[in-house]
Amino acid sequence: MTQAQLQETANIAAHGPDVGGGDWRKYFSFSTDHKVIGIQYLVTTFIFYLIGGVLATAVRTELATPEVDFVSRELYNSLFTVHATVMIFLWIVPAGTGGFGNYLVPLLIGARDMAFPKLNALAFWIIPPAGIMLMLSFFVGAPGSGWTSYPPLSLVNGKAGEAIWILSVLLLGTSSILAAVNFLVTIWKMRVPGMGWNQMPLFVWAMLATSALALIATPVLAGALILLSFDLIIGTSFFNPTGGGDPIVYQHLFWFYSHPAVYIMILPVFGMISEILPVHARKPIFGYKAIAYSSLAISFLGLIVWAHHMFTSGTPPWLRMFFMITTMVIAVPTGIKVFSWLATIWGGKLRLNSAMLFAMGFISMFVIGGISGVMVAAVPFDIHVHDTYFVVAHLHYVLFGGSVFGLYAGFYQWIPKMTGRMLNEPLGKIHFVMTLIGFNMAFLPMHKLGLEGMNRRIAEYDPKFATLNLVCSIGAYILAISTFPFIINVCWSLFRGPKAGNNPWGGLTLEWMTSSPPPVENFEADPVLATGPYDYGMGDRSTQVDVPFSEPSDPDLSAGPSSSLRAKADPAVAAHPDDREGESANRE
């Protein structure tokens, strides 16, 4: 009997009834069901992703030629400002945390809902009006000071649009804080009996680290934006140098949130990748505890690196050294994750389906973004490429190559659980190939453009950059078109997709131990951990998994049943006798 069969057999009593799709009108209501809210987040944020993509396509159309010939300079400024704001605050952050976080966390920990269901619904319903308000700003003069909104530029350029931008981001920040409180309490208090800290799925660890980071950093941004709004609307001078204010203080406050925001965007995706790889490699995750604790390390280090964005803002040399070193140190826990994922894949029985392809694409693209991140962490290099297209390339390899590839992997992994129907694999693979080609055509040449000195945030440029910019624009069009196979696939799946079954991937985590889609309160009874969450290939301990790092006699190695880094089953109900030693965690 396989580990998946052992886990499913032990959870027959917890298995929820088949409920089908239910009434579609609930997705337009103030529902308190975490699964409905999660899907509300995912659909809403994906619509904003499409809007942000249209804005990006307009930007790249303007940049296809060196002259200003598609939109005015002023509109160009607004296009890239709103594009960045939408992609960060209305797509990646709420899709990863609000969307997948809401849908998966209660299921993964065996809970029936989030700790504060009404607060959860409120956090979602703040997002649509904030996003619509930002879009409507185009009718009064959209903000054009970049997503950083640095004063004094933001105080003299389109005040109505700037005020709307501030209010919109404040609302989205409020939503993020409410969600963070909810996740922390849910994870802390509502884990199923028998699930200790070191048995939690890695996505839950990632959400724990993300929520702590959001709760500490987001209020700082809110404070900065409130003071900026005072400068803008009633003429105070907190940041306005003409009245004695200090714009550098704004930069410190802004980046205290906005650099951790990178980890708020990427940590949930790290968690999803850690769930997807072992399922489709049919191997235990390599170094479970190392991956889990590295999420906490990234969360902490993310709070003390913000000023590396300000090496050219008059930062003293001694402070530059501090932030350069801390920024480079953050590569250590990130590297632990990357090497653990590679070791998980190595020697596995890989199923190269769409979810796995996007997960592997995520690793390769994110590593490129990570390496260029270490490069810009170095003060001399950063001064050379500051405000050039090298930085644009770097941030897109992290945020699109990382987060968006990961989000797509998550869609292909869990849509069968959400809808009860499978996606079309050929369409998924077409989607992956087009995305990979379009993305690299759009952003890889930007490294060279930046090294040669092409500034960012400009509508016209030196004609010597024309060829590479045209390649980037063609890549952006391919990237835009690549979205269509995914949309067609989801629509086809909803109406014609084959039934998914409860556990189509043979997973061991608890979301696969109930029906697809799950019933209102997820489980009929408390689910149990009869196996470890990543014990793939360890059904019969007499024959170890025949892969590297599975030597049972050496606990220092990190993939086998004897590994000191392994997430074990609940000792009270473990299917294998070797796992029944000790006391059950989290049981009274």
Side-chain angles (χ1 to χ4, degrees):
M1 185 176 285
T2 66
Q3 292 291 87
Q5 289 168 331
L6 288 170
Q7 184 80 303
E8 289 171 4
T9 303
N11 281 289
I12 289 174
H15 193 286
D18 292 328
V19 294
D23 187 355
W24 58 270
R25 287 173 293 190
K26 65 187 175 187
Y27 295 106
F28 296 89
S29 69
F30 193 83
S31 172
T32 55
D33 184 338
H34 73 96
K35 300 181 292 299
V36 174
I37 295 170
I39 292 173
Q40 286 174 325
Y41 266 107
L42 291 174
V43 173
T44 304
T45 55
F46 191 79
I47 291 170
F48 281 117
Y49 169 55
L50 296 179
I51 294 171
V54 170
L55 298 175
T57 306
V59 168
R60 283 311 321 174
T61 301
E62 174 55 56
L63 292 173
T65 60
E67 299 81 22
V68 179
D69 50 12
F70 180 65
V71 294
S72 67
R73 295 178 179 85
E74 292 75 17
L75 181 56
Y76 176 83
N77 291 342
S78 296
L79 288 175
F80 72 69
T81 297
V82 178
H83 157 73
T85 307
V86 167
M87 289 304 199
I88 292 170
F89 294 107
L90 287 162
W91 162 231
I92 302 177
V93 169
T97 56
F100 285 104
N102 260 300
Y103 196 92
L104 292 176
V105 165
L107 285 166
L108 286 167
I109 63 174
R112 284 169 169 72
D113 208 320
M114 296 287 285
F116 308 115
K118 290 183 180 177
L119 194 69
N120 202 19
L122 177 64
F124 165 72
W125 280 107
I126 289 174
I127 289 178
I132 292 170
M133 194 163 55
L134 184 64
M135 294 302 114
L136 293 178
S137 69
F138 278 101
F139 292 102
V140 297
S145 307
W147 82 281
T148 54
S149 202
Y150 279 174
L153 178 63
S154 58
L155 301 177
V156 297
N157 186 20
K159 288 191 175 182
E162 194 63 36
I164 291 174
W165 181 88
I166 291 172
L167 183 57
S168 177
V169 175
L170 278 173
L171 287 172
L172 294 168
T174 303
S175 169
S176 186
I177 292 170
L178 297 181
V181 171
N182 216 349
F183 281 119
L184 287 174
V185 177
T186 302
I187 295 168
W188 195 278
K189 300 295 293 184
M190 296 180 67
R191 283 171 287 123
V192 70
M195 180 182 284
W197 290 107
N198 289 327
Q199 292 153 310
M200 288 196 312
L202 289 164
F203 180 74
V204 181
W205 272 106
M207 286 303 301
L208 185 71
T210 305
S211 301
L213 196 55
L215 200 58
I216 295 170
T218 311
V220 177
L221 176 67
L225 294 183
I226 290 170
L227 295 180
L228 185 66
S229 70
F230 288 165
D231 282 7
L232 183 75
I233 298 170
I234 61 176
T236 57
S237 297
F238 291 104
F239 307 125
N240 192 344
T242 60
D246 188 349
I248 300 300
V249 173
Y250 173 84
Q251 293 188 26
H252 279 289
L253 296 173
F254 178 84
W255 286 113
F256 185 81
Y257 165 80
S258 295
H259 189 79
V262 174
Y263 305 110
I264 292 171
M265 287 184 264
I266 201 75
L267 277 171
V269 176
F270 283 171
M272 286 193 275
I273 298 302
S274 298
E275 300 296 333
I276 294 168
L277 292 179
V279 175
H280 297 296
R282 309 311 295 169
K283 266 188 63 185
I285 190 85
F286 181 93
Y288 164 85
K289 290 180 183 175
I291 296 177
Y293 299 158
S294 65
S295 293
L296 300 182
I298 291 171
S299 181
F300 169 72
L301 290 170
L303 289 168
I304 56 172
V305 299
W306 76 90
H308 72 232
H309 294 273
M310 301 167 58
F311 286 157
T312 61
S313 300
T315 306
W318 66 268
L319 201 55
R320 285 177 175 176
M321 292 302 294
F322 172 80
F323 282 105
M324 181 177 78
I325 293 167
T326 54
T327 304
M328 289 183 172
V329 168
I330 211 166
V332 175
T334 309
I336 287 172
K337 288 182 183 294
V338 172
F339 284 114
S340 297
W341 293 328
L342 294 177
T344 302
I345 297 171
W346 185 21
K349 299 172 183 175
L350 302 187
R351 297 191 298 214
L352 293 177
N353 53 27
S354 304
M356 189 65 167
L357 288 173
F358 270 104
M360 295 169 73
F362 158 87
I363 296 174
S364 55
M365 296 301 100
F366 177 75
V367 165
I368 295 174
I371 290 172
S372 61
V374 175
M375 293 166 70
V376 295
V379 175
F381 188 85
D382 180 80
I383 290 172
H384 177 68
V385 300
H386 186 80
D387 251 346
T388 70
Y389 262 80
F390 189 91
V391 177
V392 178
H394 159 66
L395 72 91
H396 279 91
Y397 267 87
V398 172
L399 296 185
F400 196 111
S403 295
V404 178
F405 270 69
L407 290 173
Y408 275 134
F411 279 120
Y412 284 102
Q413 177 77 356
W414 283 291
I415 278 182
K417 175 54 63 176
M418 295 176 185
T419 65
R421 292 182 180 274
M422 300 298 288
L423 289 162
N424 182 284
E425 273 301 318
L427 274 175
K429 289 172 180 171
I430 291 171
H431 176 211
F432 170 73
V433 171
M434 290 182 69
T435 305
L436 191 69
I437 293 172
F439 172 77
N440 282 294
M441 278 186 68
F443 297 109
L444 194 62
M446 290 183 188
H447 292 98
K448 188 170 189 296
L449 287 170
L451 289 172
E452 292 180 350
M454 179 172 167
N455 286 332
R456 60 192 293 199
R457 298 181 177 131
I458 53 172
E460 53 197 325
Y461 52 85
D462 192 317
K464 71 179 182 181
F465 300 129
T467 303
L468 282 180
N469 269 289
L470 183 60
V471 172
C472 293
S473 295
I474 293 171
Y477 296 145
I478 296 173
L479 200 54
I481 296 169
S482 75
T483 313
F484 287 103
F486 176 69
I487 296 171
I488 294 169
N489 200 351
V490 173
C491 294
W492 173 85
S493 169
L494 287 174
F495 298 102
R496 303 288 297 275
K499 296 283 187 182
N502 301 325
N503 192 3
W505 310 128
L508 296 177
T509 41
L510 295 182
E511 81 272 31
W512 306 112
M513 299 301 120
T514 186
S515 59
S516 301
V520 173
E521 293 191 340
N522 300 339
F523 303 99
E524 286 291 286
D526 286 342
V528 296
L529 299 169
T531 72
Y534 305 105
D535 286 353
Y536 300 102
M538 298 201 297
D540 183 356
R541 301 287 170 82
S542 63
T543 56
Q544 290 294 311
V545 278
D546 184 22
V547 292
F549 306 117
S550 64
E551 174 55 53
S553 62
D554 188 349
D556 292 332
L557 299 179
S558 304
S562 302
S563 169
S564 57
L565 300 179
R566 174 186 162 222
K568 296 180 180 177
D570 179 358
V573 295
H576 197 278
D578 289 351
D579 291 330
R580 291 185 198 141
E581 300 171 358
E583 296 182 0
S584 177
N586 196 32
R587 286 183 189 273
E588 294 180 354

